[in-house]
Amino acid sequence: MRTTVIQMAPGASAPENMHHARALIAAATGADKPDLVVLPEMWSCLGGTRDMKFMAAESLPAPDGTGEAGPLYRFLSDTARAHGIMLHGGSIGERHGDRLFNTTLVFDARGREIARYRKIHLFDITTPGGEGYRESDTYDPGSDIVTAPLSPDFTAGLAICYDIRFPALFHALRARGANVLLVPAAFTVETGLAHWETLLRARAIETQCWMVACGTTGTHVDESGQKRRTYGHSMIIDPWGTIVAQVSDGPGWSTARLDAAVVETIRGRMPVMAHHRLSVHTP
């Protein structure tokens, strides 16, 4: 399964971000002919005020397709269909009363939604450098563990950014059949330099899954007017923990071929899940 990560430098304007996403996806699909394309976390609106986040967010149709689709939903569905690709929509803001969810949508090559995941672990932290983040001021946490069937050979486990620090989620995704993990992110530069690659490789190694991690890059402005930088360095990692594709600091993309046989070989030689003694996995 040829898989492409699309690294973006989004701001707070959803129309401008859609324009940039459209151009990058078109260039990547034209050059690399991927089966699956993955966007980063909050590519539709990064930074800005709370009101701007709500303006860029939208209510989603019901999973059965009933209800009105907003411009972001239509963009993702139409783009998947136009290019004949599976499209992982990174994450966007989903309206939830006077709150938001940080929500992933996945579409098949016909533009049909096949999975929806709401970020479970919210980023409420202070970095060692003193920068504070309070995702829970605007967003509610999801509660469902979600996998998505991508092909007869691949089942994706869905997570978003800060989720990567909670290995129990990834063990649960593995227990539910995942052999590839799709993780959009907007990692800060400080935490990215310290932990991004380490955490991604660890989750790949311990679950023996392919890891596809797609991040934002560049500088955006938060509600207080403070400039924030995100780390980029989107990467694809094999189940042995080897980085097989990577984007550097700026907008762009990278593509790798994922092979399900690699997963089976590694799991067969080292059946770590069968050796667990301290946790119980229930599908």
Side-chain angles (χ1 to χ4, degrees):
M1 181 174 66
R2 290 183 62 78
T3 300
T4 296
V5 286
I6 301 286
Q7 184 162 289
M8 294 178 59
S13 169
E16 289 183 11
N17 294 333
M18 276 193 281
H19 173 76
H20 293 312
R22 182 180 292 108
L24 283 167
I25 292 169
T29 55
D32 290 353
K33 304 295 188 295
D35 305 298
L36 170 67
V37 171
V38 181
L39 292 172
E41 180 185 22
M42 286 297 161
W43 63 270
S44 55
C45 181
L46 193 62
T49 65
R50 191 174 192 273
D51 287 344
M52 293 169 76
K53 289 180 171 66
F54 271 86
M55 287 178 62
E58 57 192 43
S59 299
L60 301 180
D64 64 4
T66 59
E68 185 177 354
L72 293 171
Y73 190 98
R74 292 196 302 271
F75 167 76
L76 294 170
S77 175
D78 292 348
T79 300
R81 183 171 57 254
H83 291 287
I85 56 172
M86 290 176 290
L87 181 58
H88 178 291
S91 76
I92 63 172
E94 177 191 355
R95 290 180 186 167
H96 175 56
D98 63 351
R99 307 276 292 166
L100 298 177
F101 287 121
N102 186 339
T103 300
T104 287
L105 299 165
V106 185
F107 295 86
D108 70 13
R110 296 184 182 181
R112 300 175 301 188
E113 181 186 335
I114 60 172
R116 181 179 302 191
Y117 168 71
R118 293 165 175 150
K119 185 177 183 181
I120 292 174
H121 301 98
L122 300 183
F123 192 56
D124 288 358
I125 69 107
T126 301
T127 69
E131 289 187 327
Y133 296 83
R134 287 284 302 175
E135 195 171 15
S136 65
D137 285 349
T138 304
Y139 295 89
D140 280 337
S143 57
D144 294 335
I145 297 169
V146 179
T147 59
L150 301 180
S151 73
D153 293 329
F154 281 101
T155 297
L158 304 185
I160 299 173
C161 199
Y162 191 50
D163 284 334
I164 198 70
R165 295 182 182 272
F166 301 89
L169 171 60
F170 293 86
H171 291 183
L173 291 168
R174 160 77 194 262
R176 295 176 187 222
N179 56 1
V180 56
L181 304 169
L182 306 181
V183 183
F187 249 63
T188 72
V189 168
E190 187 174 8
T191 58
L193 285 166
H195 298 150
W196 172 246
E197 180 183 325
T198 300
L199 289 167
L200 294 174
R201 293 181 69 194
R203 298 296 88 81
I205 292 166
E206 69 195 11
T207 62
Q208 301 171 308
C209 289
W210 286 92
M211 170 63 74
V212 180
C214 187
T216 59
T217 188
T219 303
H220 62 278
V221 180
D222 70 9
E223 185 165 14
S224 66
Q226 182 177 355
K227 289 184 177 180
R228 307 276 198 175
R229 292 194 303 141
T230 53
Y231 184 59
H233 293 83
S234 304
M235 58 183 67
I236 300 174
I237 302 167
D238 75 13
W240 193 246
T242 302
I243 298 171
V244 298
Q246 186 172 4
V247 190
S248 59
D249 293 326
W253 73 86
S254 191
T255 301
R257 179 178 173 270
L258 279 56
D259 187 347
V262 173
V263 177
E264 295 308 311
T265 297
I266 289 171
R267 291 180 180 182
R269 292 175 176 172
M270 188 181 294
V272 294
M273 290 303 174
H275 298 158
H276 264 281
R277 293 292 179 267
L278 298 179
S279 59
V280 177
H281 304 285
T282 56

